[in-house]
Amino acid sequence: MGFLLRACNRACLQRCACSVSGFIFKKRCNFWRVRSKIKLRTRCGRLLAEKVFMNLFKSLCIDCKTFTPALFLAPMAGVTHSAFRRLISDFGGYGALTTEMLSATAFFRENPAVSPFSRRRECEGPVIYQLRTNGEDILEAAIEKLEALNPAAIDLNLGCPAPEIQKQASGAALFRDFGRLRRVLSRIRTVYKGTLFVKCRLGDASENWRTPFIERLRLFEDYGVGAITVHPRFSNEKLKRRARWREFPWIAAQTGIPVIGNGDIRSLRDVLEHSELFEPLAGLMLGRIAAQKPWIFREFSNLQTLDISYAEVWDRLCRYTVEDFPPEKAIGRMKEFTAYFAQNFFFGHELFKESRRARDIEELRAGAFRFLDVFGKGNPDETLIYQRFIRE
Ligand SMILES: Cc1cc2nc3c(=O)[nH]c(=O)nc-3n(C[C@H](O)[C@H](O)[C@H](O)COP(=O)(O)O)c2cc1C
């Protein structure tokens, strides 16, 4: 980590002693009728954050395995490949990482020692392997092969709403089909007694969605599911509408299985401001925000604040990705990551545009550095710099 992240300098050390980085509270002052944004870089803010995580998501124990802290990287197809998980592990602060969904059939054919998706490095620590199946594939063989990798858990994908996945009767379609879901769980449990997680949405949008949801919770209990990650959107919803965090307390109250909350959680502030909704949860899962800020778990688990060099983070992932993927595939993965990473910058659309234009990894790197060398330093006068940047 040494050369990636400069340890906090004196000013930063002061900040460390009394701040939670990027933690902004809106303070309303009624007397002056002004609404001021105050960066809560105070001892009080840090203590509050500490308290939340000391009590809430300190750890999660399932089947005698302890996830410390109870913070999980979400599975994201095209994003949470092995190189990306390696980058996240450079920063730490999570309890387990999740692979992107692995089709049972494809996984069975691949070599996990070299596959850029299922390859696992020691630095990653606990890894949850997510499986996508419809029960018509070589499920048992895939599970046995997965088990040999000593997974922290196997996670069954029951939430993916993508039409091509649902057409194959997996993801959200498997959650919908109660009979098939029961058969799949039964087959999994015949060969696998280890830690089993499931990840789902709320099911299909209807006024009565709670009844089928509870039926599935009972099924998960019957088959010894260790944890349920719920992304509280309906299966027909894309990612635009806000996740329904207000459903977390109800869901957690329906079952003794630990519930991990996911969906639109971007900062510790989100959790603190809605603590009554998050409190009943056993853990949190972060997805897109981890692609934007691969160090985000540090903030959530209250590890020491670091000075981030954006260019170095981008470069490091690029090197990891090129190591794992052939060049023609590496560029696609880096473009996908860059789309999220660009959201760190006010003028990030320029980084996004640069990356879209690139035809090979060298062009991509040159374009990214052209942007990051200028904007990756958090210069306060970005608008001026931007005007110069687009003229060049
Ligand atoms: C690009 C992308 C790929 C995803 N792939 C998967 C996947 O393979 N399996 C899965 O269960 N969910 C997948 N998801 C859903 C995420 O795991 C997560 O539930 C969703 O992004 C909401 O969490 P977030 O707001 O923290 O990103 C994907 C999401 C995105 C944006």
Side-chain angles (χ1 to χ4, degrees):
M1 287 267 282
F3 65 95
L4 175 67
L5 307 157
R6 273 169 282 123
C8 299
N9 56 26
R10 199 157 50 92
C12 191
L13 272 172
Q14 267 177 344
R15 237 190 292 149
C16 284
C18 62
S19 80
V20 176
S21 122
F23 200 55
I24 302 169
F25 270 146
K26 286 174 190 153
K27 187 183 172 191
R28 287 206 178 84
C29 174
N30 291 334
F31 182 72
W32 296 103
R33 291 180 188 278
V34 289
R35 196 161 169 248
S36 57
K37 275 187 182 176
I38 296 179
K39 277 201 169 184
L40 189 69
R41 296 188 180 284
T42 64
R43 189 168 163 68
C44 155
R46 187 173 173 91
L47 287 178
L48 193 59
E50 265 169 16
K51 189 168 165 255
V52 167
F53 279 93
M54 286 307 126
N55 297 329
L56 272 184
F57 304 114
K58 190 179 171 193
S59 67
L60 173 60
C61 187
I62 297 166
D63 298 342
C64 302
K65 281 178 197 153
T66 306
F67 297 93
T68 310
L71 297 171
F72 300 86
L73 174 68
M76 288 187 286
V79 180
T80 60
H81 44 74
S82 189
F84 179 75
R85 299 197 307 272
R86 187 177 171 192
L87 177 72
I88 297 278
S89 79
D90 286 340
F91 294 97
Y94 55 84
L97 304 175
T98 314
T99 66
E100 53 191 89
M101 60 183 164
L102 308 167
S103 121
T105 313
F107 172 73
F108 181 70
R109 288 203 205 102
E110 70 185 30
N111 177 357
V114 293
S115 157
F117 309 106
S118 56
R119 178 175 180 185
R120 171 191 182 181
R121 293 176 170 85
E122 219 179 305
C123 60
E124 291 175 61
V127 173
I128 299 166
Y129 291 79
Q130 193 189 58
L131 201 63
R132 177 176 77 75
T133 180
N134 58 10
E136 282 164 21
D137 39 31
I138 40 175
L139 180 56
E140 287 83 356
I143 295 266
E144 277 166 9
K145 191 168 165 182
L146 269 181
E147 194 170 10
L149 301 179
N150 188 24
I154 293 178
D155 182 75
L156 182 61
N157 182 328
L158 298 176
C160 184
E164 62 276 19
I165 301 296
Q166 293 211 58
K167 241 182 253 162
Q168 295 169 36
S170 51
L174 182 59
F175 188 78
R176 185 177 301 121
D177 186 340
F178 190 82
R180 185 190 285 265
L181 177 58
R182 182 171 32 210
R183 284 194 297 281
V184 167
L185 287 168
S186 162
R187 280 177 60 194
I188 292 176
R189 276 315 195 193
T190 309
V191 289
Y192 178 66
K193 309 291 178 222
T195 305
L196 179 64
F197 287 5
V198 295
K199 180 168 179 284
C200 63
R201 290 186 167 214
L202 299 175
D204 292 330
S206 96
E207 263 179 37
N208 191 30
W209 66 269
R210 290 171 206 274
T211 308
F213 193 88
I214 291 176
E215 283 167 6
R216 280 144 188 82
L217 290 179
R218 297 287 94 82
L219 196 62
F220 300 151
E221 287 163 3
D222 290 347
Y223 285 96
V225 166
I228 307 167
T229 302
V230 182
H231 173 198
R233 285 186 165 96
F234 291 112
S235 51
N236 63 340
E237 287 175 333
K238 297 201 171 133
L239 291 168
K240 283 191 186 128
R241 197 191 187 288
R242 295 284 298 169
R244 293 171 175 78
W245 294 342
R246 64 176 183 275
E247 300 300 344
F248 284 144
W250 178 81
I251 293 167
Q254 304 309 309
T255 179
I257 302 177
V259 175
I260 298 168
N262 165 243
D264 298 339
I265 304 166
R266 296 181 56 84
S267 68
L268 198 51
R269 195 182 103 203
D270 286 342
V271 180
L272 293 174
E273 287 185 349
H274 301 89
S275 56
E276 74 288 0
L277 304 182
F278 287 97
E279 219 163 321
L281 297 174
L284 299 177
M285 181 176 272
L286 308 180
R288 289 163 292 165
I289 189 64
Q292 182 183 333
K293 299 176 191 290
W295 53 89
I296 190 73
F297 289 101
R298 291 187 72 83
E299 292 184 15
F300 271 75
S301 56
N302 207 27
L303 292 179
Q304 188 191 33
T305 314
L306 299 164
D307 272 353
I308 301 298
S309 160
Y310 290 95
E312 284 181 56
V313 172
W314 191 94
D315 184 48
R316 183 172 276 229
L317 182 65
C318 190
R319 282 186 285 110
Y320 290 170
T321 306
V322 168
E323 220 178 280
D324 280 7
F325 286 90
E328 68 281 6
K329 293 270 189 309
I331 184 169
R333 300 285 59 83
M334 280 309 294
K335 283 185 177 189
E336 181 131 14
F337 167 75
T338 305
Y340 292 103
F341 199 61
Q343 292 169 25
N344 286 308
F345 308 98
F346 192 73
F347 297 109
H349 57 280
E350 291 296 337
L351 175 58
F352 180 72
K353 274 193 325 204
E354 292 273 3
S355 101
R356 290 287 125 176
R357 268 198 293 265
R359 283 160 301 176
D360 59 41
I361 204 84
E362 282 321 313
E363 257 184 48
L364 180 64
R365 188 189 289 275
F369 273 96
R370 195 170 98 80
F371 180 92
L372 292 169
D373 281 347
V374 178
F375 292 105
K377 295 175 184 137
N379 196 307
D381 216 350
E382 282 200 347
T383 309
L384 260 181
I385 294 176
Y386 179 65
Q387 283 162 0
R388 237 176 285 143
F389 179 81
I390 50 174
R391 258 185 263 122
E392 271 170 24

